[in-house]
Amino acid sequence: MQIEKKYSVAIYPSSDVIHAVRVMKNHLKSKIDWYNSCNSVAHITICEFTTTEAEVEKIKQRLFKICDTFSPFQVYLDHFSAYENGAFFIAPTADSTLQLKPIMKKTQEALKISNLKKSNDPHISIGRRLNPENLKIASQLFTTIDIDFVCDAIVLRELDPDKKQFFIIDTFTFNSNTQEEFVQGSLF
C-alpha cells in the first residue's frame, strides 16, 4: 500500500526577502515566545494536498508544463495585514496581487487534485493562529514594509512529519514559453 504524504506548492521570494522575514519572525518570537509558523521559511502558499509518491511524478510533470508558460515578474509587498483567524502577514500591492492570483489559480487547476487545499489570497505569513494579544504585539512591532522580489519559479515541498516543516523537493522555473505544445509535423 502506498503511503500518502503531505505536499505544498508555493512561491519562494528571493534569499534577501527570506532573510528579512526570518529576522522579523525571530524578533516577534523574542517578544511572545514560540508561535505557529515561527520557524517556517518565507513563502506564498499556492496549495497543499496529500498524495502518494507514485502520483508526485505526474504532479511534477503538470507543474513543469504550467510553469513553462509563465513569465517572470516583479512582486512588491508594501503593507502588513491580519486575518480574523490570527494570521499576521506581509501583503503584496494591488498590482502584484493581480499578477499573482492568475498564477495561483492556473497552477491549482493544472494539478487536477481532488483534495487540494487552495490559497486564493497571496501573502507571506509572519505568524499564524496568534491570539488577539499577540496579534496586537505583532502589529505594533511591524508597521511599515517595502520589499520586492522577482517571481520566476514555483516550488514543490514535502512535509517532514518529525520537524513539522516543509522542505523543497523540486523547483519549476518560469520559461515564458507562450507557444502551444509542439506538434510534430511531417516534412514529406
Side-chain angles (χ1 to χ4, degrees), residues 11-12 44 71-75 100 103 149-154 174:
I11 295 168
Y12 269 37
I44 296 172
S71 296
F73 60 96
Q74 201 74 22
V75 173
L100 286 162
I103 299 285
F149 66 94
V150 175
C151 178
D152 60 0
I154 284 175
F174 295 178

Side-chain angles (χ1 to χ4, degrees), residues 116-183:
L116 204 62
K117 194 174 129 196
K118 301 174 185 176
S119 172
N120 300 316
D121 193 21
H123 64 277
I124 296 178
S125 293
I126 299 293
R128 290 183 304 118
R129 293 196 282 265
L130 298 176
N131 65 34
E133 184 186 324
N134 288 343
L135 204 51
K136 185 179 179 196
I137 291 168
S139 62
Q140 289 170 341
L141 281 178
F142 309 113
T143 55
T144 61
I145 184 108
D146 183 14
I147 54 177
D148 64 277
F149 66 94
V150 175
C151 178
D152 60 0
I154 284 175
V155 297
L156 177 62
R157 310 180 307 161
E158 183 182 312
L159 184 69
D160 179 329
D162 298 325
K163 292 182 180 173
K164 293 184 174 38
Q165 292 293 325
F166 284 101
F167 61 94
I168 296 175
I169 58 171
D170 215 334
T171 301
F172 305 88
T173 55
F174 295 178
N175 296 321
S176 308
N177 187 356
T178 55
Q179 296 295 319
E180 290 297 313
E181 279 186 59
F182 177 72
V183 180

Side-chain angles (χ1 to χ4, degrees), residues 33-128:
D33 293 325
W34 185 91
Y35 61 90
N36 281 290
S37 84
C38 66
N39 296 319
S40 69
V41 175
H43 65 278
I44 296 172
T45 301
I46 294 174
C47 58
E48 291 182 2
F49 55 91
T50 54
T51 193
T52 61
E53 281 189 39
E55 284 296 306
V56 168
E57 286 312 309
K58 293 176 192 167
I59 289 164
K60 285 182 180 182
Q61 288 169 3
R62 290 180 198 135
L63 285 170
F64 172 79
K65 211 171 186 175
I66 193 70
C67 288
D68 190 48
T69 68
F70 295 150
S71 296
F73 60 96
Q74 201 74 22
V75 173
Y76 297 92
L77 301 117
D78 69 348
H79 63 285
F80 292 99
S81 193
Y83 294 130
E84 285 183 16
N85 66 6
F88 183 78
F89 58 89
I90 306 169
T93 62
D95 284 348
S96 289
T97 298
L98 285 175
Q99 288 184 286
L100 286 162
K101 281 191 171 191
I103 299 285
M104 295 167 73
K105 188 171 172 43
K106 287 176 186 172
T107 302
Q108 293 161 354
E109 288 168 354
L111 291 177
K112 300 180 180 96
I113 297 171
S114 60
N115 66 2
L116 204 62
K117 194 174 129 196
K118 301 174 185 176
S119 172
N120 300 316
D121 193 21
H123 64 277
I124 296 178
S125 293
I126 299 293
R128 290 183 304 118

